[in-house]
Amino acid sequence: MAATSLSVSLPSAAITNRASAEANTLNRHANIIACSASENTFSHQERSGMRRAFLLGVGALLLPTSPLLAQGKPENYEIFVDKQDGYSYYYPSDWREFDFRGHDSAFKDRYLQLQNVRLSFIPSDKSDIHDLGPIEEVVANLVKHVYSAPNQVANIMEMRERSTDGKNYCTFEYVLTSPNFSRAAFATIAIGNGRYYTLIVGANERRWRKFRNKLKVVADSFQVLDMI
């Protein structure tokens, strides 16, 4: 399985208008995803229950088809595989699944709830992330206008691209700073199965230095799979 990477550093971006802080930012982002996604006939709670049963009941049969398993699961991580929706990723083994509005799956630290990973997708008529436009512009637009609130300063720290099994991914690191709160995160985007996938894993900025490498494993592990 061939994989290539490209590292690009982007300048800082500032956003100066006033509005809600981090909690409102996450809800606003969730609403954007939820409104754009196709209608689901089951409630999110029902889907979460179905997913857990699916993983526990037949996950062992599906895992061998995942490229992640072929690489070997890192110590102290678990693998989440959703063949019905076409993706997989690692998450720390001491994290727990929870419902995050507008997202298909999410896990969080049992004690530090702002330390979490969540995965969402929306329909897309594109076949590759490069069809969205220049990656630098795509990333800047996401961080400035989708992930951040108007009263937050957004800094893009790093951006990297990789290609795995013929699919292209972009992972970028960013920090959102508001007057009373700062959050750092990695986001990985990819397109496949007629869907635009976004995985975000982050933590309080004060804890970022300690947990950054641990969370980077999650961001780098995300892969799009063929749907069943």
Side-chain angles (χ1 to χ4, degrees):
M1 176 172 62
T4 60
S5 65
L6 173 65
S7 297
V8 180
S9 296
L10 297 179
S12 299
I15 305 173
T16 58
N17 296 328
R18 294 184 178 180
S20 57
E22 178 68 12
N24 289 334
T25 298
L26 296 179
N27 287 334
R28 184 166 62 86
H29 183 205
N31 288 333
I32 291 172
I33 299 299
C35 291
S36 301
S38 57
E39 183 177 358
N40 195 328
T41 58
F42 294 101
S43 69
H44 188 69
Q45 289 79 7
E46 288 173 322
R47 289 198 59 187
S48 296
M50 292 173 63
R51 179 180 295 109
R52 281 187 284 268
F54 175 75
L55 290 174
L56 292 174
V58 299
L61 298 176
L62 298 177
L63 285 175
T65 66
S66 170
L68 288 177
L69 191 66
Q71 298 174 7
K73 179 170 65 67
E75 185 178 2
N76 299 322
Y77 288 86
E78 300 295 335
I79 182 171
F80 182 84
V81 180
D82 189 337
K83 291 284 286 184
Q84 291 178 319
D85 289 313
Y87 66 88
S88 63
Y89 59 85
Y90 296 143
Y91 65 92
S93 56
D94 59 345
W95 287 17
R96 295 294 178 261
E97 187 175 15
F98 75 111
D99 292 333
F100 197 112
R101 187 175 60 181
H103 292 72
D104 192 65
S105 63
F107 293 85
K108 65 182 178 181
D109 187 288
R110 66 175 68 186
Y111 303 112
L112 306 172
Q113 297 190 9
L114 291 178
Q115 200 160 292
N116 59 61
V117 59
R118 66 257 193 197
L119 187 288
S120 62
F121 54 80
I122 58 175
S124 177
D125 59 359
K126 308 298 184 183
S127 59
D128 186 86
I129 55 174
H130 294 104
D131 296 336
L132 300 171
I135 290 297
E136 293 87 349
E137 295 180 10
V138 171
V139 170
N141 180 69
L142 286 172
V143 174
K144 294 178 182 179
H145 303 299
V146 179
Y147 301 162
S148 63
N151 72 328
Q152 290 180 311
V153 175
N155 292 316
I156 302 171
M157 310 304 294
E158 183 182 59
M159 185 191 79
R160 297 188 308 156
E161 295 185 58
R162 62 181 167 93
S163 179
T164 305
D165 290 344
K167 294 184 176 66
N168 292 317
Y169 303 80
C170 179
T171 297
F172 45 98
E173 179 183 359
Y174 62 94
V175 178
L176 302 179
T177 303
S178 55
N180 299 314
F181 181 85
S182 295
R183 178 176 171 81
F186 289 109
T188 299
I189 59 173
I191 291 179
N193 301 317
R195 296 173 171 183
Y196 180 175
Y197 295 90
T198 301
L199 178 143
I200 296 177
V201 57
N204 188 308
E205 196 272 337
R206 291 178 299 176
R207 299 179 179 274
W208 189 244
R209 179 175 296 183
K210 179 178 180 179
F211 293 104
R212 179 186 182 276
N213 291 340
K214 178 180 180 179
L215 302 184
K216 188 175 184 295
V217 172
V218 178
D220 290 342
S221 72
F222 172 61
Q223 291 190 4
V224 176
L225 309 176
D226 292 332
M227 294 170 59
I228 60 173

